[in-house]
Amino acid sequence: MPRSNPGVRGLLLLLLLFHFSGSGAVALDLGKSGIGLNPPAQGWKLEEHDDAALKVWHLRAETWDPAPKESGLIAVTVTFLDGDPWPDIGAMRDRAADIVAGQLMTAVVARTPFELVAGRFEIAGADFEGGLDLVSEGNKPVSARLLLIRTRSGFLMITAFSVLPLSEKPFTALFGETGILTAYGPGAEGLNATPVRAEATEPAPRAADPAAIEDLLRQMQQQFQPPAGTGN
Amino acid sequence: MKRSLGLKRVAPIVLFAFFGAAMPASADYVGNLNPSGDSYLTLRQYSSSKSREISRMGAGTIVEVLDADGDWLYIETQDGRIGWAHSNYILPGLPDGAASPGGYADEAGDVPIEPDRQPAAGMGELVAPVSPAAPDEFDWLEGHMMQFHSPVRDATLAIYQNARFGTVISYPASLWTALPESENGDGRRFESLDGTAEITVYAGHNALERTVPELLGDTLGSGFESITATKMQGNRFEVSGVRDGRTIIHAEILDAANVQHVVEISMDPSVDATTQQSLADIAASLRVEAGAIGTQGVSAPEADKGAMELAFWNTISTSMDPAEFEAYLAQWPNGTFAALARNKINRLRSGGAPSPVPTPQPQADQTRANPTATLGATEPQTLMDSGWWVVVGSFPTEPWERQTSDYERTQATAARCGLAVFNDLSAKFSGFRSGYNVFVIGAFESKSVADSMLKQARKCFPDAYVKNAKYLGE
């Protein structure tokens, strides 16, 4: 019986491991922020930009019609800044939200800001409902989420756009264990669970402090009830 | 992020303690800050208040000015950070008390912006605003988000629309810098961030009443060393090729109001295929604000006729057989490429270089296209061998090597401007001094007609003039 070369066996084993290692997507830790980026292996285009002080990952679904399976997400952009000179994260969120509503989107009909602290993560964000000016194809209805996240080691600005309206939980696949982004360490449960999981129909992951999570979810849900007359 | 008073910050203090005497005499410092406003000066990535913030410098921060751009200075701090800051707040010399480490040392780098704040104790606590933001603190956000966070940044791109003529192009804003509008508001230029390409968009009235095929011919005759593709459909055409060693994509629309809308993209030949496609997309995006495009500019039959002529020309343009160009002239004696065809025949018949001057045929009515047709004259003028000439070029015949380039340059300019220029040695004219190679339009019986032509010619040949002379021929 012929004996295979151990080197060849090792190579085959490696290939098998690679083959069964899941989606094949490469997870990227964003510095020591406690947040990882998991670009989908297929169906998305990833562009990166970095300079002396920031790094940007821009993911865009290759096809918007039909919408990708990731809850209708069509574009996710993450800016990771190695500095954090902005003391007022809320003010920064407001300015960024103005830009999302006024320049990145069109015909914004809902704009809902929210803020929370979860462990190491200090978050200010906003949800939007409006459209994108596709020029040749007219206005495409979308929802958007803006997140500013201060960590103990880095500052992130995230925007996500989905073709689903807010009522259909368009950002369930943004954060989470299998999301495009995953948080780790203290506070990760809060970020992975909310606001994403707050809207998800799936059971929330095990949390270190279920009562705290439940309290957070309640607050988040309250935050996500748009007050009457909310708009842009 | 925590900004600790680590080695990076302390080092300059220590260094100064040892080497303070070696501080450059030309050192500058941050000062003149508004006492009731910010207590810092922002160091920015570019010379714009909208540019991204690199860091903040407190009063007394010592800097070295490396360069300047208007009101902005390119500076380096003592701890090695480089960026732009507004010159209003950079003062010459050293700050008061600079000799004392305490006088400036703590500001040698940043203002202590924000201590590392521990997040609130419990999950779910709402974050209260910490402090009001400085008014311009987030100016960089807009540029950054438009550049990187737009979900359609490569899909629908940014739109440039010329307010005066309604010319519109789409371009990826993240890759291009828009330069200011031209002074007369007829267009603008864009430079690629990597410096390999530029876009010029402009519009103007079709003063010479050129048709679309004629405009295409003008473009083809505008100095292209080679043409890789031409396309004409209705009121628009595109040409791509190489000119002056750069790859060119030229797209043009003639709208119903007789306005030419042009986008021309010039790129290094080294740009990759993907980038070239992206640039071709920009050229293809040329359009006119809705409602401005019509079909009045060129009738469909005329366009078809032009397309046929163009197709014919494309098949023979690189031919070395003069008979093919004669066949072209037989069918389109006054066609868009007639002048080019005649020149080509002359060159082929004469065997090409080094024959210094293409030999024109002396019979004016056979070789000189009637230039008054391009003037929109109601009655075409009869060209004569004697009368008033518009001289657009006059070059010494020596050294003879220059004659070919003089000829090609002048003819290219003439073709671009729709002028039919006749060329021969000045010795063959009575009234010209010999020893020159002259390029003329005419002759016209009346000086007023010649003056009218001169007016047109000066748009492309500013030194053109009118002279009375007689062509003697061979």
Side-chain angles (χ1 to χ4, degrees), chain B residues 40 70 87 93 119 139 157 159 171 189 198 203 274 279 387 400 435-436 439 442 449 455:
Chain B
Y40 58 85
S87 59
D139 281 352
L157 318 168
I159 306 289
Y171 65 98
R189 287 198 311 121
E198 71 173 41
T274 306
L279 294 170
W400 64 265
Y436 290 85
F439 296 80
V449 174
K455 213 167 151 186

Side-chain angles (χ1 to χ4, degrees), chain B residues 81-99:
Chain B
R81 279 163 301 156
I82 296 178
W84 293 88
H86 200 283
S87 59
N88 280 358
Y89 310 103
I90 302 291
L91 304 180
L94 292 173
D96 292 341

Side-chain angles (χ1 to χ4, degrees), chain A residues 47 79 82 84 117 150 159, chain B residues 1 117 127 131 144 149 153:
Chain A
E47 295 167 26
T79 297
D82 68 354
D84 179 6
V117 169
R150 168 177 281 140
T159 52
Chain B
M1 180 189 287
R117 294 188 298 112
V127 178
S131 63
H144 175 79
H149 284 252
R153 67 191 189 93

